[in-house]
Amino acid sequence: RVADTYLKNPQQVQVNRTEMVPTTIQQLFYVTHEANKPDVLCKLIDSVDDFYGLIFCQTKALVADLTSHLMDRGYRVDSLHGDKTQSARELTMKAFRERKVKILICTDVAARGLDVKDVTHVMNYSIPRELDSYVHRIGRTARCGKSGVAMSLISPRQRGMIGQIERLTKTVLEEGAIPTRRELGAKKVGSFLSKFQEQEHFTRAVESMGEEWTEAAWDERPR
């Protein structure tokens, strides 16, 4: 009988772990102390031209605290966790898909099956206790052949987990440099200047500025 055949000769199926993480995902990690994570997170978001992504936390309480923190700082953010009703989740996902919300902070439970096009970044604010969840999380970006970025915030004592993740995924994670306030300020000024230079009366306006502004405006002008 067929049943007896399979009981006596069981077949084993194994997923090829070399293909667990698409090569189109750039994996970065940033070392910082737990108390500095909210500030570092904001810096990383601000360093990206158009951040549209997911931030994973380990607990519902942390999701709530971080959502409140980012809202207070003016980010377009919402949350997903197990305490939200189905209707509330649907409203949140609708706003996220329509990009009325650009940042979604969630727990692993709420993110199961989450499929949104064009997510640019996935942030591990907390490294998952079960490392297999790391693969699931970062797989929310770089879908349909597109590229994406996965960032992880780790404390100095968690450095050893990077090696564990690399062995699990058979990939290499790159240590990133946390941007400084000076670098972020220069980025904002550069963005402002590029819009300013597109104006019809750019040259006349530059002539009325002080010497420092004049030099910056001309130095940043596209050649």
Side-chain angles (χ1 to χ4, degrees):
R1 289 187 309 225
V2 175
D4 291 339
T5 300
Y6 282 109
L7 287 172
K8 293 177 182 177
N9 301 289
Q11 302 297 308
Q12 184 177 22
V13 178
Q14 184 173 1
V15 176
N16 183 355
R17 284 186 177 270
T18 61
E19 298 177 357
M20 288 183 71
V21 176
T23 56
T24 50
I25 299 180
Q26 181 186 15
Q27 297 178 77
L28 302 167
F29 70 93
Y30 300 84
V31 181
T32 184
H33 291 284
E34 205 67 35
N36 297 332
K37 277 188 176 183
D39 185 54
V40 170
L41 173 65
C42 291
K43 287 180 177 178
L44 292 175
I45 292 173
D46 292 344
S47 70
V48 176
D49 288 333
D50 188 20
F51 189 100
Y52 177 56
L54 306 170
I55 299 174
F56 285 94
C57 297
Q58 197 64 33
T59 66
K60 290 178 288 186
L62 189 51
V63 166
D65 289 346
L66 193 57
T67 300
S68 177
H69 178 79
L70 292 185
M71 280 183 172
D72 289 344
R73 298 186 65 162
Y75 295 94
R76 289 154 59 188
V77 60
D78 204 345
S79 63
L80 274 181
H81 52 74
D83 285 349
K84 273 201 166 185
T85 64
Q86 185 60 33
S87 59
R89 290 190 194 188
E90 289 172 359
L91 287 173
T92 295
M93 289 308 304
K94 183 175 186 294
F96 186 59
R97 287 192 171 95
E98 293 174 353
R99 298 206 179 204
K100 294 175 182 176
V101 167
K102 300 293 289 292
I103 302 169
L104 199 58
I105 305 178
C106 46
T107 60
D108 287 314
V109 172
R112 291 290 175 185
L114 190 154
D115 188 11
V116 179
K117 293 181 179 179
D118 303 327
V119 167
T120 62
H121 290 73
V122 171
M123 174 74 72
N124 291 299
Y125 189 86
S126 311
I127 294 291
R129 295 190 183 97
E130 297 180 1
L131 292 185
D132 280 343
S133 294
Y134 173 87
V135 177
H136 174 77
R137 288 179 178 186
I138 70 173
R140 302 306 96 195
T141 187
R143 301 179 77 81
C144 302
K146 296 188 177 181
S147 60
V149 180
M151 299 175 169
S152 298
L153 301 184
I154 66 166
S155 64
R157 62 184 177 82
Q158 291 177 317
R159 263 189 175 276
M161 297 184 72
I162 297 302
Q164 295 178 42
I165 292 172
E166 290 178 332
R167 287 190 292 275
L168 171 72
T169 61
K170 291 182 168 47
T171 58
V172 177
L173 277 66
E174 175 187 350
E175 183 168 0
I178 299 170
T180 65
R181 294 189 185 279
R182 184 181 181 86
E183 290 169 340
L184 292 174
K187 180 180 177 64
K188 288 182 180 180
V189 170
S191 174
F192 171 78
L193 285 175
S194 65
K195 295 176 182 177
F196 174 50
Q197 290 156 1
E198 295 169 359
Q199 302 305 308
E200 181 180 354
H201 302 294
F202 166 74
T203 302
R204 188 183 305 172
V206 168
E207 291 173 354
S208 66
M209 291 180 173
E211 185 176 337
E212 289 185 4
W213 270 99
T214 302
E215 290 177 359
W218 286 112
D219 287 345
E220 294 290 334
R221 190 162 196 185
R223 294 184 169 62

